[in-house]
Amino acid sequence: MAVCASMNGTTDAAPGPEWMPARVREGRVEWVRLGAAPLRQPFYEMDVRMAGWADRERRVTRLEDLPAHAAAVPALEPSGFVFHMSRCGSTLTAKVLGAPESHLAVSEAPPLDAVVRRRDPELLRAMVRALGRVRRPGQARLFVKLDCWHILDLALFREAFPETPWVFLHRDPGEVLASHAREAGVQMVAEYFPPAFWGLGKVERPFGPAWQAQVLGVICRAGLNGLKLGGGLAVNYRELPEALFGRVLPHFGVRADATDLAAMRDASRLDAKAPSPTAFRPRQEKHAEAIGDERLLEAYAALEALSRPASAPPPPRP
C-alpha cells in the first residue's frame, strides 16, 4: 500500500476512513482527521476549520495516488450534483439535502475545485469518492454542491459521472447583481477569474456591474446548454424551499422516510448562512438592471421557460 508523510516528517499508513481531504497544492493532497463528525457548516472549508485544521495531525499524499487511496476506503456514489448561478439558494439546498443522518452533503470543497481545474475525470471520480467516505454507520446518500463556475465544466462531470442527476439553480439576474453589489463573490474578481477564464477575450473594464453581468451571462448560458443535453433540472430561487421536496428530491431519486423528511423540513426553515438559528425567507434584493446585457437576459428567460410547468404563467418582472 502507498504511504504518506505526516506534517512532522514521519511516515504513516495511508489515510483511513476517518481522514478527509482538506487541501490540494503542489501536486499533493493534505488530509485532516474528521472522524465521524458530520458536515454541518455552510461550506466544507468551514467544517475543516471548525475541526481544528490548524492544530490537528495532518497527512500528505501525492495527488497521483489519490485514486488508490480513494478506492481503498468504502465511499458513497453521488446521488446528485448541485450547480448554480450564485446567490440563488444553493447553500440552503445543500443544508436541506445534508440534514438527515443518513445523508452527506459536501458544499464547495476547495480540494474538489483543485481537481476540476486539472480536467481529469479519473481524478475527479477519486476526489468525489474521497469526499464521500463512509465515516459513520448508516450513511447512504452523497450530494455535492459545486462552486458557481463549475457549470462550465459540466461535460467533465458528465464524463466522470454519466448517470448522476444534477440541478441548476438560478435567479432573476437583477437580484443576483444587487447581491454582488453589496458584497462581490470571488468569481467577480478579475485577479482570480480573468476574462479568459470565462472565454470573454479582452474586456476593457473587468469590474463593476457590467462585468458582473457578463460573468453571469456565461454561467447562465452554460447551464442552459447543459440542460438541453439532459440529466439536469432547472430550479428558480423563488421556488425554494418547496421545490426541494416537490422537484429536486424526486429528480435525485430520493424517497425520504418520515424521519429524514422531518429533518429536511426543519433545515428548510432556517437561513443556511446565518451564524445562529434564523428563519429562512427568500431575500427580496433590491433589483438592479442587467446593464443592457441582452445575452444574459435571453439566457435567463430560456432557463425560466425550462423551470416552469407548461401551464404556469411567466413571472412578473420586479
Side-chain angles (χ1 to χ4, degrees):
M1 178 179 290
V3 297
C4 63
S6 70
M7 294 301 287
N8 61 15
T10 61
T11 299
D12 301 294
E18 73 276 16
W19 292 83
M20 294 281 280
R23 182 166 59 181
V24 174
R25 63 174 182 173
E26 299 177 352
R28 293 181 175 273
V29 182
E30 297 181 12
W31 303 75
V32 62
R33 189 198 297 269
L34 290 186
L39 303 181
R40 289 288 181 255
Q41 297 304 312
F43 302 100
Y44 180 77
E45 189 173 24
M46 296 171 66
D47 279 295
V48 170
R49 288 204 307 267
M50 291 287 287
W53 160 248
D55 303 319
R56 288 197 172 201
E57 177 190 4
R58 303 185 214 174
R59 292 181 179 174
V60 180
T61 64
R62 296 183 304 174
L63 182 58
E64 63 194 71
D65 294 331
L66 181 62
H69 291 315
V73 174
L76 303 169
E77 287 295 317
S79 294
F81 291 118
V82 178
F83 295 90
H84 57 98
M85 179 180 174
S86 83
R87 311 292 169 88
C88 58
S90 61
T91 304
L92 174 71
T93 298
K95 291 284 280 187
V96 170
L97 292 173
E101 290 297 317
S102 60
H103 289 190
L104 172 62
V106 178
S107 181
E108 299 187 10
L112 184 60
D113 181 53
V115 164
V116 168
R117 292 175 186 245
R118 289 176 176 262
R119 309 293 190 269
D120 184 330
E122 181 185 12
L123 274 181
L124 178 58
R125 283 191 294 268
M127 183 57 76
V128 170
R129 184 176 179 86
L131 291 166
R133 291 175 160 212
V134 178
R135 293 181 293 114
R136 63 179 189 272
Q139 285 185 310
R141 292 187 181 275
L142 168 67
F143 303 94
V144 182
K145 172 200 166 187
L146 291 314
D147 288 289
C148 66
W149 55 87
H150 288 150
I151 190 64
L152 276 64
D153 296 292
L154 178 61
L156 175 67
F157 280 88
R158 299 297 286 163
E159 181 179 358
F161 301 98
E163 303 302 321
T164 302
W166 56 279
V167 299
F168 182 71
L169 302 174
H170 59 282
R171 185 181 183 182
D172 185 287
E175 295 182 2
V176 178
L177 286 170
S179 177
H180 283 291
R182 285 192 296 108
E183 184 179 359
V186 67
Q187 70 272 23
M188 299 300 186
V189 180
E191 286 81 0
Y192 300 114
F193 292 85
F197 179 90
W198 304 106
L200 291 173
K202 185 177 180 180
V203 175
E204 183 177 350
R205 295 170 61 86
F207 55 86
W211 160 250
Q212 293 175 357
Q214 290 185 71
V215 170
L216 290 184
V218 172
I219 292 172
C220 285
R221 290 192 296 276
L224 178 62
N225 292 336
L227 288 163
K228 291 177 179 178
L229 297 177
L233 176 72
V235 178
N236 193 291
Y237 174 80
R238 69 171 177 275
E239 300 178 70
L240 301 179
E242 283 308 309
L244 300 178
F245 303 96
R247 301 181 64 209
V248 174
L249 289 179
H251 182 67
F252 286 165
V254 177
R255 289 189 174 183
D257 61 24
T259 300
D260 288 353
L261 189 60
M264 288 189 282
R265 283 287 182 188
D266 287 344
S268 74
R269 298 185 183 101
L270 299 176
D271 187 322
K273 295 181 180 178
S276 59
T278 304
F280 169 75
R281 295 287 185 274
R283 295 184 186 274
Q284 298 299 315
E285 295 283 1
K286 178 181 178 181
H287 192 270
E289 292 301 323
I291 318 301
D293 193 318
E294 291 300 322
R295 297 186 71 194
L296 167 58
L297 298 177
E298 289 172 4
Y300 176 72
L303 286 168
E304 277 291 85
L306 289 176
S307 62
R308 287 197 311 270
S311 59
R317 290 284 296 177

